[in-house]
Amino acid sequence: MIVGVKGSICARVVTSPATLLVTHASGLAHEVGPGRPDQPERLRAIAAALNADRFAALRRAEAPAASREAILAVHAPSLLERLEKAAPRSGLAALGPDMVMSPGSLEAALRAAGAATFAVDEVMRRGARNAFVAMRPPGHHATRENAMGFCFFNNAAIAARHAIAAHGAERVAIVDFDVHHGNGLQEIFWSDRNVLYCSSHQSPHYPFTGAAGERGEHDNIVNVPLAKGSGGAEFAQAWTEAILPRVIDFRPDILLICAGFDGHLHDPLGGLRLQRQHFAELTLRLAEIAARRTDGRIVSLLEGGYRPDDLAACVAAHVGALMGA
Ligand SMILES: [Zn+2]
């Protein structure tokens, strides 16, 4: 169970389920210092873009903090203890080569995970048709025991386990179009026949996992490496031929999206050549599949995307596609 589920939002009668946007100001208070990619400005740019008139129909909710129980359904207690101990009262504390904590980081991480479970609650209960979570830090690199790659808790993994434990979902599909491979998701679900994890990603590239031969204990992992310089045609081919048929065959009860936009042409951390229409086109195709296979249930979680203006434009295209689903 998560904190804050029984709030006024859930009590409200919703006659026509809409797209839900879940976010929280704490996402801005996770400071990482200058020169690092995962800046608060990313969320500011997204918030500004989603305040445009064409997003007036979005239902908006504040992210609750995840419970310890939800976190520990995925992560080792030692990770939570390490983060609680490392959180500084002032200034910045280094956790590793690419991990920094500020006084606001732990709350941001707890609410990023809580936003994911809250969105699952709303979508499973039909309080929303689908949902987008605009929070940071991101999640797909976090392993059972370790924070890494800007990720503290694995938000998508926590959402998937929550859908199964709290809502009786039998099969959860997670699709990931971030430019980086979600090594944490692959590790966590390697032996889990109830979860299908599918990723397209640049390869070779950080975190240097995700070869096509890495398929999971139950053939429940689908990795499609893309060469540096790949663009919309290669991306569409990867999804059309290798990933979408697997999602359809899996017959999931809910579809989770790791929505990373660092495959954008101008992103400083990626070498792919995608543009916002490619993300929108894929989102529409995922929404079509969800309409047929999951009664429309999609929860999409922000992962990467490190040039704020381009990120915001891509998120707007993605959320616009979810609203039109
Ligand atoms: Zn990424």
Side-chain angles (χ1 to χ4, degrees):
M1 295 298 290
I2 64 170
V3 175
V5 167
K6 293 179 181 170
S8 58
I9 289 159
C10 295
R12 199 170 75 189
V13 175
V14 178
T15 50
S16 57
T19 295
L20 173 69
L21 171 66
V22 189
T23 187
H24 194 272
S26 62
L28 301 171
H30 166 43
E31 301 277 353
V32 295
R36 292 179 180 272
D38 181 23
Q39 292 291 330
E41 181 54 29
R42 299 175 62 230
L43 282 192
R44 273 193 209 99
I46 289 171
L50 296 183
N51 271 334
D53 288 347
R54 71 186 176 102
F55 295 107
L58 278 176
R59 226 191 88 198
R60 293 161 196 261
E62 296 223 313
S67 67
R68 290 180 76 86
E69 184 186 354
I71 303 265
L72 297 179
V74 166
H75 292 290
S78 57
L79 173 63
L80 189 52
E81 286 160 19
R82 213 156 59 238
L83 294 176
E84 285 168 344
K85 256 187 207 157
R89 292 199 176 166
S90 63
L92 301 177
L95 271 184
D98 53 10
M99 297 297 299
V100 173
M101 288 187 88
S102 68
S105 297
L106 187 59
E107 184 187 355
L110 289 168
R111 288 190 188 270
T117 55
F118 175 80
V120 166
D121 288 335
E122 289 297 290
V123 166
M124 291 303 287
R125 292 173 184 158
R126 310 311 280 158
R129 177 168 176 79
N130 54 39
F132 180 70
V133 171
M135 280 296 285
R136 56 185 281 279
H140 72 156
H141 294 307
T143 65
R144 181 175 180 274
E145 302 202 357
N146 287 306
M148 62 178 279
F150 316 152
C151 303
F152 289 72
F153 301 123
N154 199 310
N155 306 319
I158 290 166
R161 286 264 157 86
H162 182 72
I164 292 167
H167 297 283
E170 293 180 359
R171 287 175 304 279
V172 178
I174 306 173
V175 296
D176 185 338
F177 55 74
D178 191 277
V179 79
H180 304 100
H181 180 240
N183 60 298
L185 285 163
Q186 173 165 301
E187 182 212 87
I188 290 162
F189 294 116
W190 185 262
S191 304
D192 191 336
R193 64 173 78 245
N194 303 111
V195 178
L196 176 75
Y197 173 62
C198 305
S199 171
S200 73
H201 44 271
Q202 184 180 332
S203 179
H205 197 39
Y206 181 89
F208 304 100
T209 50
E214 296 168 18
R215 295 171 54 175
E217 206 172 301
H218 304 288
D219 201 21
N220 58 312
I221 308 280
V222 181
N223 285 310
V224 186
L226 297 170
K228 185 178 179 183
S230 296
E234 294 90 343
F235 184 69
Q237 185 181 17
W239 284 82
T240 301
E241 294 181 3
I243 297 180
L244 298 180
R246 292 294 305 274
V247 175
I248 292 168
D249 286 349
F250 189 67
R251 296 184 295 114
D253 297 306
I254 184 170
L255 179 63
L256 306 182
I257 303 177
C258 286
F261 300 94
D262 40 10
H264 188 272
L265 175 67
H266 297 132
D267 195 275
L269 297 196
L272 300 185
R273 302 181 62 78
L274 303 178
Q275 299 182 58
R276 62 180 161 181
Q277 68 268 25
H278 302 129
F279 297 113
E281 284 163 12
L282 176 57
T283 307
L284 285 172
R285 297 184 67 190
L286 290 168
E288 283 168 15
I289 291 171
R292 284 186 282 133
R293 301 284 161 170
T294 73
D295 205 12
R297 292 185 178 96
I298 295 177
V299 170
S300 176
L301 309 169
L302 179 67
E303 296 283 354
Y306 298 99
R307 209 165 98 146
D309 288 353
D310 291 326
L311 169 64
C314 290
V315 166
H318 176 65
V319 173
L322 288 177
M323 291 172 74

